[in-house]
Amino acid sequence: MHDVIRLLRAHRSIRRFQQRPVPPELVEELVRAGQAASTSSFIQACTLIQVNDPADRERLAEYAGGQSCVATAPLFLVFCADMQRHRLACDMNGVEMLSGYTEQFITATVDCALLAQNLMVAAEAVGLGGVYIGGIRNRIAAVAELLALPELVYPVFGMCLGWPDQDPEIKPRLPLEVVLKQDRYDDSGDRGRIAGYDRVVEQYYANRLGSDKRTTWSRQMAGMLEKEARPHMLPFLRERGFLLK
Ligand SMILES: Cc1cc2nc3c(=O)[nH]c(=O)nc-3n(C[C@H](O)[C@H](O)[C@H](O)COP(=O)(O)O)c2cc1C
């Protein structure tokens, strides 16, 4: 197996870290690796905010639903979808920017995800570990206020990074046949495949050290999707100048 593929296949989220700092030069190297990702129409619409102040970290941990790793990780980054600098670019060229398009929201959000995942892989390549923190969207308006985010900028997710202080098992993924289709969408065999995968996930949780979680993938999804999903997101994004047309 190719080294890069082996690295990708070895990914698991890390939530406990050694109290050893990530040197600033390494942070810069990781961000450069993130920036090297493909970017829709060259828009480069992601801004990262490195949050250093312990009091700010505590507040973000609380906003994220009490996720202590946000406060304790040596490095915490917030990935923001950012169309503000494009307004500047238009202004520099005497053009008034037409903003608020759903297309712009998609491209800026995708840009953040691509940069972040490149950064995560680069971090894992040098022995760091990390976890995305979508939990910051629980209190997205408070996060935006804390970070002084202007209009046309929104926090997509955070990321904790550091030297791992745990060695969790790799979480099994869906069978390939469920995610890779040939020529047309055909999910006729997927009910059975997902039932088989449920048993695999159940075993994974049963064997996981220090966890008494007993569930399956489909049960987890059903439990999540019978509830509302952060209904405050749409009004927040519109107020920030996204998703208006
Ligand atoms: C955008 C995004 C947001 C996430 N938010 C959180 C989070 O707030 N807290 C957390 O513990 N894990 C979070 N995760 C991690 C996922 O739970 C994790 O990737 C998934 O369960 C698969 O596990 P693995 O990364 O160990 O393979 C997030 C992942 C992504 C991609």
Side-chain angles (χ1 to χ4, degrees):
M1 195 188 280
H2 191 282
D3 282 352
V4 175
I5 297 177
R6 189 174 301 112
L7 176 77
L8 292 170
R9 298 280 304 269
H11 161 79
R12 68 267 196 280
S13 291
I14 297 295
R15 298 176 176 84
R16 276 212 322 263
F17 303 96
Q18 299 170 31
Q19 283 314 300
R20 178 179 150 204
V22 182
E25 318 77 64
L26 180 53
V27 176
E28 288 178 11
E29 199 178 341
L30 297 178
V31 175
R32 287 209 178 87
Q35 283 187 284
S38 295
T39 162
S40 187
S41 306
F42 201 30
I43 57 168
Q44 305 184 76
C46 179
T47 296
L48 293 95
I49 304 201
Q50 179 177 344
V51 184
N52 303 303
D53 183 82
D56 288 346
R57 290 278 214 100
E58 289 288 349
R59 281 167 75 183
L60 288 171
E62 183 200 319
Y63 295 159
Q67 300 199 53
S68 58
C69 60
V70 173
T72 58
L75 180 61
F76 186 70
L77 300 169
V78 179
F79 292 77
C80 303
D82 182 350
M83 294 299 295
Q84 183 62 235
R85 65 173 69 104
H86 305 86
R87 181 174 274 173
L88 199 60
C90 288
D91 192 49
M92 287 162 68
N93 288 278
V95 165
E96 196 179 332
M97 181 167 120
L98 298 179
S99 63
Y101 287 97
T102 299
E103 176 64 14
Q104 295 163 347
F105 169 79
I106 293 171
T107 49
T109 306
V110 168
D111 250 37
C112 279
L114 297 179
L115 190 154
Q117 185 58 18
N118 252 28
L119 193 156
M120 174 73 91
V121 171
E124 290 176 347
V126 299
L128 291 162
V131 62
Y132 286 85
I133 302 291
I136 61 164
R137 296 195 306 273
N138 289 347
R139 300 276 309 277
I140 194 162
V143 172
E145 193 188 337
L146 179 73
L147 303 179
L149 302 184
E151 214 201 359
L152 295 181
V153 181
Y154 90 94
V156 186
F157 44 70
M159 188 187 284
C160 298
L161 287 163
W163 310 100
D165 193 27
Q166 61 176 162
D167 187 15
E169 265 188 59
I170 294 167
K171 225 173 181 177
R173 296 303 202 244
L174 282 162
L176 207 62
E177 298 77 14
V178 177
V179 299
L180 175 63
K181 308 292 187 194
Q182 301 297 333
D183 299 315
R184 294 284 186 280
Y185 192 94
D186 172 12
D187 65 356
S188 52
D190 284 358
R191 188 176 276 266
R193 294 182 187 117
I194 289 172
Y197 178 60
D198 273 349
R199 304 284 81 80
V200 175
V201 171
E202 198 169 36
Q203 267 305 309
Y204 159 81
Y205 283 127
N207 296 339
R208 202 165 67 164
L209 274 178
S211 156
D212 53 6
K213 201 163 172 171
R214 294 284 175 273
T215 190
T216 67
W217 182 77
S218 66
R219 211 180 303 144
Q220 239 180 303
M221 295 305 108
M224 178 177 78
L225 296 169
E226 70 176 353
K227 296 188 200 120
E228 286 193 308
R230 296 184 182 125
H232 55 270
M233 285 300 299
L234 185 60
F236 171 81
L237 287 168
R238 286 195 167 148
E239 193 241 324
R240 291 284 152 156
F242 290 100
L243 293 174
L244 299 175
K245 45 201 167 191

